[in-house]
């Protein structure tokens, strides 16, 4: 499966996908890494791996819709089966996104539907939650609100800060994203209106990460 990754920042999830793409069975291929910040480390990681990159500056566009339309027309040229938002810090225009719903996923550092948006680690600690985690979901026009495909949990320990929690969660995010992209590349996951199907069966709850694999 041909995959396009969108990233705005550090690019550690991208790095995990690059490391996994050839070993995955069936394999997937990252054909483009695109972003809205030319200086993003994610773009350097892609270049070092020999992957084509594209940096578009939103300031060069009259509005968000025009930026998103240009971005997704360039994505479409690469004919991807999947678009992965991996730390892409922009909300997508609903009309531009519409034809891509079901083919676009995002990784978010919380157990959705809890804590959409920012400061997820701090908010989980402030709420006194016993567990935190990450979710991979289909992207819809609702911010961090699309159907959840898979989640990974980790306990919050006494003394955890947002920083320590984020550090412990990150490698778990990487495994979660790699496993989810692998299932999609295998053609086993589909979005059916607002439900996620695995092998044709609607999921009653998100898949859960066990080690490196996902279980219903
Ligand atoms: C991750 O925590 C991801 O869940 C969130 O943004 C962060 C991106 O990190 N959406 P990186 O750029 O992949 O290192």
């Amino acid at each position: 499966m041909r995959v396009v990754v969108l990233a705005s920042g550090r690019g550690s999830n991208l790095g995990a996908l690059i490391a996994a793409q050839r070993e995955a069975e069936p394999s997937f291929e990252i054909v483009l890494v695109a972003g809205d910040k030319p200086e993003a480390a994610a773009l350097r990681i892609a270049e070092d791996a020999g992957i084509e990159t594209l940096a578009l500056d939103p300031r060069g566009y009259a509005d968000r819709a025009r930026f998103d339309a240009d971005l997704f027309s360039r994505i479409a040229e690469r004919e991807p089966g999947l678009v992965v938002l991996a730390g892409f810090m922009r909300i997508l225009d609903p009309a531009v996104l519409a034809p891509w719903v079901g083919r676009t996923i995002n990784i978010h550092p919380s157990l959705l539907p809890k804590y959409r948006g920012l400061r997820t680690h701090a908010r989980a600690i402030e709420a006194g939650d016993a567990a935190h985690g990450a979710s991979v979901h289909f992207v819809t026009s609702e911010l961090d609100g699309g159907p959840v495909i898979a989640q990974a949990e980790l306990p919050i320990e006494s003394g955890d800060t947002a920083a320590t929690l984020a550090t412990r969660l990150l490698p778990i995010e990487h495994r979660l994203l790699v496993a989810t992209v692998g299932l999609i590349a295998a053609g086993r996951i589909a979005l059916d209106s607002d439900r996620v199907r695995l092998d044709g069966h609607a999921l009653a709850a998100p898949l859960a990460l066990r080690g490196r694999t996902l279980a219903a």
Side-chain angles (χ1 to χ4, degrees):
M1 174 174 274
R2 294 165 63 80
V3 175
V4 169
V5 178
L6 302 186
S8 301
R10 170 179 63 180
S12 71
N13 278 284
L14 168 67
L17 289 173
I18 291 171
Q21 60 180 343
R22 289 200 179 80
E23 275 91 78
E25 186 54 54
S27 62
F28 56 90
E29 184 191 3
I30 301 169
V31 294
L32 175 70
V33 174
D36 56 329
K37 295 198 166 54
E39 71 284 4
L43 298 180
R44 303 291 90 73
I45 291 170
E47 284 165 8
D48 289 349
I51 298 169
E52 185 189 357
T53 62
L54 171 69
L56 297 180
D57 186 345
R59 290 171 299 189
Y61 296 81
D63 55 30
R64 189 174 77 195
R66 286 190 180 83
F67 174 86
D68 290 349
D70 190 26
L71 175 61
F72 274 80
S73 75
R74 291 161 187 257
I75 291 170
E77 286 168 9
R78 275 71 174 193
E79 301 184 332
L82 179 67
V83 178
V84 178
L85 275 52
F88 186 63
M89 302 305 286
R90 291 178 61 85
I91 297 167
L92 294 169
D93 178 75
V96 173
L97 178 65
W100 294 90
V101 171
R103 293 186 286 161
T104 306
I105 62 171
N106 178 48
I107 179 147
H108 181 74
S110 80
L111 295 172
L112 291 171
K114 282 187 165 180
Y115 315 127
R116 298 177 184 184
L118 300 174
R119 291 186 64 252
T120 57
H121 314 296
R123 287 156 69 199
I125 292 170
E126 285 158 15
D129 291 356
H132 186 47
S135 306
V136 177
H137 65 92
F138 281 111
V139 176
T140 64
S141 55
E142 206 179 330
L143 178 68
D144 300 325
V148 178
I149 304 166
Q151 290 184 322
E153 271 194 39
L154 90 166
I156 297 179
E157 290 165 8
S158 63
D160 256 332
T161 64
T164 60
L165 198 49
T167 300
R168 277 213 319 290
L169 182 59
L170 196 60
I172 298 172
E173 285 190 35
H174 297 163
R175 291 200 296 275
L176 178 69
L177 184 60
V178 165
T180 307
V181 170
L183 270 189
I184 294 171
R188 298 185 58 194
I189 296 282
L191 179 64
D192 176 9
S193 125
D194 59 352
R195 285 192 303 193
V196 178
R197 291 188 181 272
L198 171 67
D199 299 331
H201 304 288
L203 292 181
L207 299 171
L209 187 71
R210 305 262 180 269
R212 293 186 175 275
T213 55
L214 291 168

